[in-house]
Amino acid sequence: EAQVTQNPRYLITVTGKKLTVTCSQNMNHEYMSWYRQDPGLGLRQIYYSMNVEVTDKGDVPEGYKVSRKEKRNFPLILESPSPNQTSLYFCASSLREGYGYTFGSGTRLTVV
Amino acid sequence: AQRVTQPEKLLSVFKGAPVELKCNYSYSGSPELFWYVQYSRQRLQLLLRHISRESIKGFTADLNKGETSFHLKKPFAQEEDSAMYYCALSGRGLTGGGNKLTFGTGTQLKVEL
């Protein structure tokens, strides 16, 4: 089944403890992207990638890192999480421009 | 910079009434616009792409470049249409890369019996 898979689905962690949220797609898509969703703010883009080893900042990149070493994987790294990064995170992938993105099920992160 | 504005946070209509969810955009190039839907506790799903000019679940949207709008419409609302709807624009990123998708803040549609 064609899909975008994120792990974990839920995560509660403490301030400052490095974490990684994984994202994998099996559709051979060129583009991948990370968003955070917060009440009243909609979805805001964190980073996106146009292909292997090619990434670009989105609208809210501070406090996050990404890497695209393989086409199928696009992990999101929080080196030192803070409570203001508590949010619902979505990974998405797209075949090419104009096709739209396919979204994962989301990762609900709580930083205490 | 690209921007998408959805002026209504909540739209409540009765079943069978027409629905129009507003979306305005700001973009210097030629935009690619989309509507996404998110049902309660589910992932976002692509509803419409303006380039395909399709009708999905009875919804349509027309790109009006003069008014920079891409409003979503449905002639008769159904209870199962209740969801959060996001308008999105695909444009260029900071380094010129394409397919950077920017979302509006969303409109919650509530269809009442």
Side-chain angles (χ1 to χ4, degrees):
Chain A
E1 181 188 352
Q3 59 186 356
V4 178
T5 304
Q6 295 177 230
N7 279 295
R9 288 294 308 275
Y10 301 93
L11 178 60
I12 301 175
T13 190
V14 296
T15 299
K17 186 176 181 182
K18 180 179 178 180
L19 66 92
T20 299
V21 183
T22 64
C23 175
S24 179
Q25 51 94 3
N26 61 0
M27 297 168 282
N28 201 35
H29 283 177
E30 298 280 327
Y31 297 86
M32 296 187 75
S33 187
W34 275 103
Y35 292 86
R36 60 178 289 174
Q37 185 179 35
D38 301 289
L41 298 177
L43 285 97
R44 294 178 293 168
Q45 191 178 55
I46 303 170
Y47 271 95
Y48 84 118
S49 171
M50 292 74 82
N51 212 324
V52 175
E53 302 289 5
V54 184
T55 62
D56 199 1
K57 293 180 180 178
D59 300 311
V60 289
E62 295 77 20
Y64 304 94
K65 284 176 58 177
V66 293
S67 68
R68 188 95 180 272
K69 294 189 171 71
E70 306 166 278
K71 200 171 190 179
R72 63 183 291 124
N73 296 322
F74 191 45
L76 179 69
I77 303 157
L78 285 73
E79 295 270 1
S80 183
S82 63
N84 64 11
Q85 292 178 298
T86 292
S87 187
L88 178 58
Y89 291 86
F90 286 100
C91 181
S93 71
S94 173
L95 179 63
R96 62 173 67 99
E97 296 181 50
Y99 274 66
Y101 276 78
T102 300
F103 280 77
S105 298
T107 295
R108 186 166 293 281
L109 172 66
T110 302
V111 184
V112 297
Chain B
Q2 55 199 62
R3 173 176 281 186
V4 177
T5 303
Q6 294 179 253
E8 302 143 332
K9 287 187 185 235
L10 172 67
L11 181 65
S12 182
V13 300
F14 286 108
K15 180 181 174 181
V19 173
E20 183 179 48
L21 300 172
K22 291 185 167 49
C23 172
N24 289 91
Y25 67 89
S26 172
Y27 185 60
S28 56
S30 183
E32 293 173 349
L33 286 146
F34 305 84
W35 277 99
Y36 284 80
V37 60
Q38 187 178 29
Y39 300 101
S40 180
R41 299 186 182 278
Q42 294 187 25
R43 71 181 73 192
L44 275 85
Q45 303 171 37
L46 178 63
L47 182 62
L48 286 177
R49 302 180 294 158
H50 93 266
I51 59 172
S52 56
R53 302 183 65 81
E54 59 206 336
S55 173
I56 304 292
K57 299 183 180 182
F59 285 98
T60 59
D62 289 316
L63 177 61
N64 185 323
K65 290 187 178 181
E67 296 182 359
T68 59
S69 68
F70 188 56
H71 302 328
L72 183 68
K73 299 178 183 178
K74 185 171 183 177
F76 307 104
Q78 302 298 314
E79 195 178 357
E80 56 266 27
D81 296 330
S82 294
M84 179 70 90
Y85 291 81
Y86 290 96
C87 182
L89 180 153
S90 176
R92 296 279 159 196
L94 291 173
T95 57
N99 214 5
K100 180 186 187 304
L101 195 65
T102 299
F103 286 86
T105 50
T107 298
Q108 179 73 45
L109 175 64
K110 184 177 179 183
V111 180
E112 298 183 75
L113 298 175

